[in-house]
Amino acid sequence: NAGVTQTPKFQVLKTGQSMTLQCAQDMNHEYMSWYRQDPGMGLRLIHYSVGAGITDQGEVPNGYNVSRSTTEDFPLRLLSAAPSQTSVYFCASSYGGLRSSYNEQFFGPGTRLTVL
Amino acid sequence: GQQVMQIPQYQHVQEGEDFTTYCNSSTTLSNIQWYKQRPGGHPVFLIQLVKSGEVKKQKRLTFQFGEAKKNSSLHITATQTTDVGTYFCAGRRVGSQGNLIFGKGTKLSVKP
């Protein structure tokens, strides 16, 4: 199994550009999520999904869109990039749903995004 | 909103010294997880604690969950250079939708 994969690994954007960060998992996990990691801020939840066709907002959703058309894929779209979105983005998945008592999260390798 | 506070933010130790990081929640947690992130890497799951007062050990690492299920700690005995990284706790609030709330992490550096 490849686990959780993310592309690209690095990306530089200009303010106002849009792009999609890709995330895929091959573990048949129900739950998938996107986090951003900024220095001193830990991991903050952007959006999450409890299954195909179901998504919801996390702690910091503004400026981002997601969709979940399949179990495997959970892309994150930046609509109009801003310098404040410079960050490291991690996608994660877990077997258990939100009410599962055991839901270890498997993280992808991350995408390092710089917005100029 | 709920916060999960983690202290200290940084810890520098000499190799062989012990290390502890603490995690405190403003509300009762249904469980708590711990993750390790090596420099330049991604968070990797270490353990989950569910029961009040639970203690689990992984070699030199000891994890505790408080009796009130509002706090937790990770203790590393006799640190090694391989322990370098940032340790995060992540809690799930009782009765919540279930999303994890991550602490800001403790960055551990070990001087050989």
Side-chain angles (χ1 to χ4, degrees):
Chain A
N1 287 349
V4 180
T5 58
Q6 291 184 238
T7 56
K9 290 186 178 180
F10 301 93
Q11 183 70 49
V12 179
L13 293 177
K14 294 181 179 179
T15 297
Q17 288 185 315
S18 62
M19 79 159 294
T20 299
L21 308 185
Q22 301 293 343
C23 174
Q25 52 91 10
D26 61 358
M27 298 174 281
N28 200 32
H29 285 174
E30 292 183 4
Y31 182 90
M32 295 186 74
S33 54
W34 276 100
Y35 295 88
R36 61 176 289 171
Q37 184 174 37
D38 304 295
M41 297 296 293
L43 292 157
R44 293 184 292 171
L45 183 66
I46 304 172
H47 285 285
Y48 66 97
S49 169
V50 298
I54 306 171
T55 63
D56 207 344
Q57 297 181 349
E59 179 186 359
V60 288
N62 291 342
Y64 307 95
N65 274 354
V66 292
S67 60
R68 184 100 178 265
S69 56
T70 67
T71 299
E72 294 78 18
D73 301 299
F74 190 44
L76 177 72
R77 283 184 289 278
L78 278 69
L79 309 173
S80 177
S84 60
Q85 293 179 305
T86 294
S87 188
V88 180
Y89 292 86
F90 289 103
C91 178
S93 73
S94 65
Y95 176 74
L98 288 179
R99 302 197 183 282
S100 170
S101 62
Y102 193 84
N103 41 19
E104 164 191 354
Q105 297 223 33
F106 294 82
F107 283 83
T111 294
R112 283 148 181 82
L113 175 68
T114 301
V115 182
L116 302 175
Chain B
Q2 179 198 8
Q3 289 190 340
V4 174
M5 308 300 294
Q6 195 173 350
I7 57 170
Q9 189 174 0
Y10 302 97
Q11 186 76 58
H12 309 282
V13 300
Q14 191 78 32
E15 188 172 22
E17 292 181 340
D18 291 356
F19 159 76
T20 304
T21 174
Y22 300 90
C23 190
N24 294 289
S25 169
S26 55
T27 58
T28 304
L29 303 172
S30 60
N31 59 46
I32 195 157
Q33 298 179 355
W34 285 91
Y35 291 80
K36 177 184 179 180
Q37 184 178 23
R38 295 183 184 275
H42 59 277
V44 174
F45 176 82
L46 293 176
I47 207 161
Q48 174 170 286
L49 305 172
V50 179
K51 299 177 182 177
S52 170
E54 189 170 15
V55 178
K56 288 188 176 180
K57 293 187 176 183
Q58 291 179 349
K59 297 182 180 179
R60 294 178 294 104
L61 277 61
T62 301
F63 304 84
Q64 293 187 327
F65 200 11
E67 294 291 340
K69 300 182 74 173
K70 288 186 175 182
N71 56 75
S72 182
S73 65
L74 159 59
H75 179 80
I76 301 178
T77 303
T79 55
Q80 300 175 359
T81 54
T82 54
D83 296 324
V84 164
T86 301
Y87 293 85
F88 293 96
C89 62
R92 177 166 281 102
R93 189 181 65 193
V94 171
S96 75
Q97 287 186 333
N99 289 310
L100 287 173
I101 306 296
F102 279 82
K104 294 184 178 181
T106 296
K107 186 173 183 179
L108 173 65
S109 62
V110 180
K111 186 176 182 180

